[in-house]
Amino acid sequence: MNRKNIFKGILFALTFIGLQSCDKDFSDVGGNIIGDGNINIETYTVENIVAYNQSYGAADTKNLVEIPLGFYENGTLGQTSSSFVVQVASNSSAFSLIGENAKIDSVYVYIPYFSEYEKTENDIAKYKLNNVYGDGSFDLKVYQNGYFLSNSNPSQGGSSKYFSNNSSIFNSNKIGNILNDSPDSKQNTNFVFTNTNIIIYKYDKDGNPIKDETTGKHQEQERLSPGLWLDLNKEYFQELFIGKKTALQDPNTFNDLFRGLYFVASGNSSKGAIGLLNIFQGQLVVKYTDEKKSTNSEGEETTTTEKKTMTFSLSSGVSSGNLDANSNINVNLYQNSNNAEYLDAISQADTKNGDDKLYIKGGEGSIAIVDLFSKNDYAELKKLREDDILINDAILTVYVDENAMSNNINPKRLYLYNYDDEVSLVDFSNDTNTNSSYLKAVFGGIFQEENKDKNLEGNLYRFRITEYLRSLIKSKDFKKSPKLALSMTNDYNSSFLNYIKNQTLESPIDNSPNDIKTIPAFSVSCPVGTVLYGANTQAEGKKMKLEIFYTKTKN
């Protein structure tokens, strides 16, 4: 074993603490050590690590809690476009109030991004957009969806599934022309993610702006956080909503006549951008003018006009904690144009010796399998069990291939989980850290940038898997060491963290002891990727490593 004396062990721990500048909660290596003159603090670097690429293909994307939308040039990993279909909740009471001569004034859809307020300049609030990748534009088209979506599967029983490669089904069933036909190209052919708030102004019954008598400025009705705002064709909805208002009062008929909206993203001349939408706060809003009839004191009937609004939710049921029971359905759809380098890497994985580079890609992508200890018939694990050691910390470090990612965004986080059992690691589940700008900061997986001025190592991800290693050491089964997997993830959102689950794969992955039938929703909803060095790379100082910090009683 690569044992060091107590002084070197302490020095290493202190150096490691300095490297964890992103969050102090990940820096207490050796923090559980209580010692005296009868123990040594030592470190051990695991030798038998095999890490290799594994594609997973299409996955069920029904009711993801985070919806990616956009088109993005992801360098070595190729191009990705992410579209989606969403049902609209019926609103029978709203249709029952519509008069015979109602006329739609405007229709818009609003879906907020995940954002944090930063500052206000010139009366405009600016926000930090979370989980938006790239700063270019893309082409966005919205259609009425014509494919019927159902939560149940009558032919096979159980809950229905819709897969990420089902674009052709929805393309062949879209209805009519493009709905987001505004002359503003930023709402269609040149869509961009903006970080400023959206201001809704007040208008009188004739559609004229209402001005403040003191300042002369247009009065505000409401301010919304940054989000997707698209004006939709009002003539189309005049025919659909007003023309069929009686039939639409029945929720079942509504779901049949109006099967939702289909958002289609594709590339334009830009490198593109792709980001997450908070679909559970999305709305379709219809503003219309209606007639109001009244009778005066002399018995004369008069007719006036009044402004009304119908609001339709794009989702419901999240508070129940059971998204499969959601009355609305959303389906995410991916289309990839993968580079040859990426395709070669994932199709020629070396499962015996490991790959020198690991291609981690979300969406309809790939993961990296990390096989600890099984090489040489678990001899290394057996030796660790036989030694009388107390593990204080276990840290897995993986390095980014800077050349491959030089012109691309390094994702903020990666996710490490138990691949064989298809579950989270106990270290992840136990991390309830709330004192950081990063959730799960103790578990880690946060991208750490290099800081040459402070002489800090960087361009890497670190994971604390202490409890996982402790359970392996304590296990009586000398040949049980479940494989781990590295996958993509967006930065965790506290509101939805408890709703994240595994998504069913269209085709299970061959694996021992059991085939893999699911992939984390974390990976499916993350549309980007990264390139890492494996455990057998020849790149100096970039090899994947697992370091164990432990105490051992002196003989």
Side-chain angles (χ1 to χ4, degrees):
M1 290 189 177
N2 301 323
R3 297 175 179 171
K4 300 179 177 66
N5 61 36
I6 186 170
F7 301 107
K8 290 183 179 179
I10 293 174
L11 177 61
F12 188 95
L14 291 174
T15 301
F16 188 85
I17 288 172
L19 291 175
Q20 305 310 310
S21 56
C22 62
D23 195 289
K24 66 180 181 179
D25 293 319
F26 195 75
S27 65
D28 58 344
V29 174
N32 295 326
I33 298 174
I34 301 175
D36 54 29
N38 293 321
I39 65 169
N40 278 337
I41 304 174
E42 301 181 356
T43 63
Y44 176 68
T45 301
V46 174
E47 298 175 357
N48 293 329
I49 301 179
V50 176
Y52 54 90
N53 293 290
Q54 175 65 62
S55 63
Y56 58 80
D60 176 25
T61 55
K62 175 186 171 185
N63 287 348
L64 295 177
V65 298
E66 300 172 322
I67 299 294
L69 175 69
F71 169 89
Y72 186 61
E73 291 268 6
N74 205 7
T76 304
L77 299 170
Q79 300 174 343
T80 294
S81 64
S82 180
S83 305
F84 72 96
V85 177
V86 61
Q87 287 183 318
V88 178
S90 64
N91 190 343
S92 57
S93 61
F95 287 108
S96 65
L97 299 175
I98 299 175
E100 292 298 324
N101 299 311
K103 183 178 180 179
I104 289 181
D105 300 316
S106 66
V107 181
Y108 68 84
V109 60
Y110 166 70
I111 310 174
Y113 309 137
F114 294 95
S115 61
E116 300 174 28
Y117 172 78
E118 286 190 322
K119 59 183 177 180
T120 298
E121 292 180 348
N122 299 322
D123 203 32
I124 300 297
K126 294 186 177 181
Y127 292 71
K128 174 187 175 183
L129 301 184
N130 297 324
N131 298 317
V132 171
Y133 309 92
D135 54 8
S137 65
F138 59 92
D139 184 274
L140 178 60
K141 295 180 175 66
V142 180
Y143 299 91
Q144 182 184 345
N145 170 46
Y147 186 78
F148 186 75
L149 297 169
S150 174
N151 276 305
S152 60
N153 187 337
S155 62
Q156 298 181 5
S159 176
S160 61
K161 300 186 187 306
Y162 299 96
F163 292 94
S164 55
N165 60 353
N166 287 161
S167 294
S168 61
I169 295 175
F170 295 99
N171 283 333
S172 61
N173 284 279
K174 61 181 183 285
I175 298 173
N177 297 320
I178 299 169
L179 296 177
N180 58 323
D181 55 359
S182 167
D184 180 3
S185 66
K186 290 185 178 180
Q187 293 197 34
N188 35 65
T189 59
N190 191 36
F191 184 88
V192 294
F193 292 97
T194 56
N195 69 337
T196 54
N197 61 352
I198 297 171
I199 302 175
I200 300 177
Y201 294 99
K202 292 182 178 179
Y203 294 87
D204 62 23
K205 63 183 180 64
D206 297 317
N208 299 313
I210 299 176
K211 300 292 185 68
D212 185 281
E213 295 180 357
T214 303
T215 64
K217 293 182 179 180
H218 197 166
Q219 289 186 15
E220 296 181 10
Q221 175 178 311
E222 185 180 7
R223 287 197 174 203
L224 304 174
S225 62
L228 175 147
W229 175 295
L230 301 176
D231 294 306
L232 304 183
N233 187 291
K234 63 182 182 180
E235 286 77 20
Y236 187 89
F237 283 91
Q238 178 75 30
E239 180 181 347
L240 178 63
F241 279 6
I242 306 300
K244 301 177 181 180
K245 61 184 179 64
T246 302
L248 293 174
Q249 292 181 36
D250 178 76
N252 292 325
T253 305
F254 177 91
N255 289 331
D256 189 39
L257 291 177
F258 184 49
R259 298 179 177 180
L261 298 172
Y262 179 25
F263 294 73
V264 183
S266 59
N268 53 22
S269 58
S270 169
K271 186 177 179 179
I274 199 164
L276 296 189
L277 305 180
N278 187 350
I279 196 70
F280 293 104
Q281 293 183 17
Q283 295 180 332
L284 174 68
V285 179
V286 179
K287 293 184 176 293
Y288 66 100
T289 301
D290 209 347
E291 293 182 346
K292 180 180 181 180
K293 295 183 180 181
S294 59
T295 304
N296 60 22
S297 58
E298 298 178 356
E300 297 176 335
E301 186 176 78
T302 59
T303 301
T304 58
T305 59
E306 60 180 348
K307 298 292 184 181
K308 294 183 178 180
T309 300
M310 291 190 291
T311 301
F312 303 85
S313 171
L314 299 187
S315 188
S316 62
V318 68
S319 60
S320 70
N322 183 2
L323 293 177
D324 286 333
N326 193 343
S327 60
N328 290 13
I329 296 173
N330 62 69
V331 180
N332 191 240
L333 303 162
Y334 281 107
Q335 288 187 305
N336 294 320
S337 178
N338 296 317
N339 285 1
E341 178 183 335
Y342 171 67
L343 289 174
D344 287 344
I346 61 175
S347 64
Q348 301 177 23
D350 187 343
T351 60
K352 180 179 180 181
N353 302 304
D355 295 320
D356 60 339
K357 291 185 181 181
L358 306 174
Y359 296 77
I360 318 295
K361 185 176 182 180
E364 195 174 291
S366 56
I367 56 179
I369 310 303
V370 182
D371 190 352
L372 302 175
F373 302 117
S374 66
K375 195 173 181 180
N376 298 322
D377 197 29
Y378 297 90
E380 190 174 23
L381 179 57
K382 184 176 181 180
K383 184 66 170 69
L384 286 171
R385 285 168 173 165
E386 290 174 347
D387 285 352
D388 185 18
I389 66 173
L390 173 65
I391 295 178
N392 299 294
D393 268 302
I395 309 297
L396 180 72
T397 304
V398 290
Y399 296 86
V400 174
D401 182 342
E402 299 167 36
N403 292 326
M405 296 299 295
S406 60
N407 296 318
N408 293 280
I409 299 170
N410 282 302
K412 289 183 180 179
R413 304 196 79 135
L414 296 180
Y415 177 57
L416 182 70
Y417 66 99
N418 182 325
Y419 178 71
D420 284 343
D421 298 329
E422 302 178 70
V423 296
S424 299
L425 295 179
V426 65
D427 299 86
F428 177 88
S429 302
N430 288 348
D431 185 356
T432 58
N433 170 65
T434 58
N435 299 322
S436 162
S437 57
Y438 288 99
L439 296 173
K440 304 291 185 181
V442 175
F443 175 70
I446 304 165
F447 178 69
Q448 182 173 301
E449 295 186 29
E450 182 181 27
N451 191 324
K452 293 182 179 180
D453 292 337
K454 296 183 179 180
N455 196 32
L456 293 180
E457 185 182 24
N459 296 319
L460 55 80
Y461 299 86
R462 281 195 171 104
F463 300 86
R464 172 175 272 131
I465 56 173
T466 308
E467 293 303 323
Y468 175 75
L469 259 295
R470 284 173 178 165
S471 67
L472 287 185
I473 297 298
K474 293 178 182 178
S475 175
K476 296 180 180 180
D477 185 352
F478 281 98
K479 292 190 176 182
K480 181 171 176 57
S481 176
K483 294 186 291 293
L484 307 182
L486 277 168
S487 78
M488 288 304 308
T489 181
N490 299 296
D491 198 12
Y492 305 129
N493 181 286
S494 60
S495 299
F496 295 148
L497 197 56
N498 293 332
Y499 297 109
I500 294 291
K501 54 186 177 62
N502 287 350
Q503 303 296 123
T504 301
L505 293 172
E506 184 178 48
S507 300
I509 301 172
D510 291 338
N511 180 64
S512 178
N514 301 303
D515 288 349
I516 302 302
K517 298 180 180 180
T518 65
I519 203 75
F522 288 137
S523 184
V524 177
S525 64
C526 184
V528 295
T530 189
V531 183
L532 309 171
Y533 288 106
N536 67 345
T537 181
Q538 299 302 309
E540 184 67 27
K542 300 297 183 179
K543 181 181 293 188
M544 176 189 290
K545 60 184 178 181
L546 173 59
E547 297 167 292
I548 301 174
F549 301 80
Y550 67 96
T551 58
K552 182 177 181 181
T553 304
K554 290 181 179 179
N555 296 327

